[in-house]
Amino acid sequence: MDLMTILLLAVFAFFIFTMFRRNKKAQQQQREMQSQFAPGVEVMTSFGLYGRIVSIDDAENKVVLELSPGTEATVHRQAVTKVVEPTAPAEDSATEAGLGTGDIPSEAGSAPSSGISLGKDASPAPQEQLNETPEETLRRLNDEGKNAH
């Protein structure tokens, strides 16, 4: 065998070794994550669906997720790809930055950078939107759609 063939085989063996090692690490991470599965844990599926685990069927590899109150979906156990860690509410980050709940960081007297107005001057302030009922929200959104035409 010449030197070039030996070098080619060595490079090929190295690539195969790294591929198997990467797969082994990925499987280990998947096992560690699935060991955290328990009813009540917030998770995300591989297709971007968020939910809370209701039950786990190890025999058939199925997980029942509660997507919203009263709405459940059954997915394959491998479709659950991420355990969602609880995050701090956005309001906390605003108060940490020294802003009140109604303050909006902007320069005084400055115009929008694009200079384009979307015609939403009649919409209620964000604080008022938080206190809306679902019916009021639908009515407001439908009215905004009619005014845009």
Side-chain angles (χ1 to χ4, degrees), residues 86-109:
T87 59
E91 185 176 311
D92 291 343
S93 63
T95 55
E96 289 174 5
L99 302 173
T101 55
D103 296 339
I104 299 173
S106 65
E107 297 178 19

Side-chain angles (χ1 to χ4, degrees), residues 26-106:
Q27 287 174 352
Q28 182 181 5
Q29 287 176 342
Q30 183 76 9
R31 276 191 302 254
E32 288 175 5
M33 190 218 26
Q34 286 188 358
S35 70
Q36 297 176 357
F37 287 178
V41 174
E42 292 281 333
V43 295
M44 182 183 84
T45 63
S46 59
F47 42 93
L49 194 64
Y50 287 88
R52 182 181 311 265
I53 295 178
V54 175
S55 65
I56 301 169
D57 184 1
D58 289 326
E60 295 186 25
N61 284 330
K62 292 182 181 179
V63 177
V64 177
L65 299 178
E66 181 180 38
L67 307 176
S68 64
T71 306
E72 294 181 350
T74 303
V75 298
H76 193 275
R77 187 179 184 121
Q78 289 180 340
V80 180
T81 57
K82 183 178 179 183
V83 174
V84 179
E85 301 295 328
T87 59
E91 185 176 311
D92 291 343
S93 63
T95 55
E96 289 174 5
L99 302 173
T101 55
D103 296 339
I104 299 173
S106 65

